[in-house]
Amino acid sequence: MSTPLVVAIDGPSGSGKSSTSRGVATRLGLAYLDTGAMYRAMTWALLQAGVDVDDPAAVAAAAEHVDVRSGTDPLDPTIHVGDTDVSGPIRGDRVTAAVSPVATVPRVRELLVDLQRRAIAASDGIVVEGRDIGTVVAPDAAVKIYLVADPTARAARRAAEQGGADAAATEASLARRDEIDSSRAASPLTKADGATVVDSTFLTLDEVIDAIVGIVESR
Ligand code: DC
């Protein structure tokens, strides 16, 4: 059995990773895995269970019992905890505010990285988006992309997605999450060796997808 084609797409919040990754997967007929949604689903379950997300030992202990299930169809990416569809609540403010501290807990990362590697192994080719895909989850990925964008552009996009939220407040919240994600000890956000940097600041979504599809096809 040959190893499946893996396209790893890492980068900070708001760089356009999700729309880009789904678009690339759809164009290339590949599966798609949103690992950020998995950290969000874990966070939702812990909040639901009343766990103090700022207590790493409590988070690590409770995480063992959380059953995160990800669908890998880029046209219909699903996310469940057990049988509960959590695709709506994981995008809410409560989860968004709590997800970075949860994602710093090493045991949470071990559990979710294990699930991610299983999904990759079970696929016939997959686009995987996150923060540590090229560095930790799939360091042997055939294609590694580090997707970046100017912070103001990222905040403007996020605010528009959220129906015209305050762009300045969104930029501050993104900056806070970037700081936690980039400075944590366990698998910080950083460009992987061999990753190609794609800057989406001045590109449309289709242009970013074209650029990455071009990189995959010319490998
Ligand atoms: O991509 P996102 O905003 O949905 O990610 C939510 C959080 O999960 C983000 O703060 C960083 C964390 N995350 C991570 O630590 N590792 C990943 N592979 C994906 C996301």
Side-chain angles (χ1 to χ4, degrees):
M1 204 180 81
S2 63
T3 48
L5 169 65
V6 179
V7 179
I9 304 187
D10 291 302
S13 316
S15 54
K17 278 194 312 293
S18 292
S19 316
T20 301
S21 301
R22 289 176 63 179
V24 170
T26 305
R27 283 265 298 273
L28 295 172
L30 300 174
Y32 161 71
L33 186 66
D34 176 359
T35 63
M38 300 171 78
Y39 286 92
R40 287 172 178 272
M42 173 65 78
T43 303
W44 176 87
L46 298 175
L47 291 171
Q48 205 62 14
V51 174
D52 175 1
V53 295
D54 293 312
D55 177 347
V59 166
E64 303 289 337
H65 310 291
V66 178
D67 175 21
V68 173
R69 301 182 190 174
S70 313
T72 58
D73 177 352
L75 296 175
D76 181 26
T78 57
I79 182 86
H80 289 80
V81 172
D83 293 329
T84 307
D85 176 356
V86 295
S87 53
I90 64 166
R91 304 293 163 194
D93 290 344
R94 241 177 115 230
V95 168
T96 298
V99 63
S100 280
V102 169
T104 62
V105 176
R107 184 63 186 147
V108 167
R109 306 201 68 83
E110 266 174 29
L111 290 165
L112 294 183
V113 168
D114 184 55
L115 288 179
Q116 292 156 16
R117 289 186 176 145
R118 286 168 200 254
I120 292 169
S123 77
D124 294 324
I126 191 163
V127 177
V128 188
E129 67 153 291
R131 302 291 190 291
D132 61 342
I133 309 309
T135 53
V136 174
V137 177
D140 297 332
V143 178
K144 299 182 192 182
I145 305 293
Y146 195 67
L147 189 62
V148 298
D150 170 273
T152 308
R154 288 161 48 205
R157 266 184 216 151
R158 254 307 138 88
E161 272 168 26
Q162 291 165 349
D166 177 349
T170 306
E171 187 168 344
S173 149
L174 284 181
R176 244 188 333 270
R177 281 207 288 147
D178 284 355
E179 169 59 23
I180 302 179
D181 294 342
S182 308
S183 61
R184 69 179 176 225
S187 313
L189 170 65
T190 177
K191 181 174 109 51
D193 282 345
T196 304
V197 177
V198 174
D199 185 338
S200 69
T201 308
F202 300 110
L203 300 179
T204 64
L205 175 60
D206 280 340
E207 288 169 337
V208 181
I209 294 170
D210 285 346
I212 297 176
V213 167
I215 292 167
V216 175
E217 287 177 341
S218 67
R219 79 192 186 281

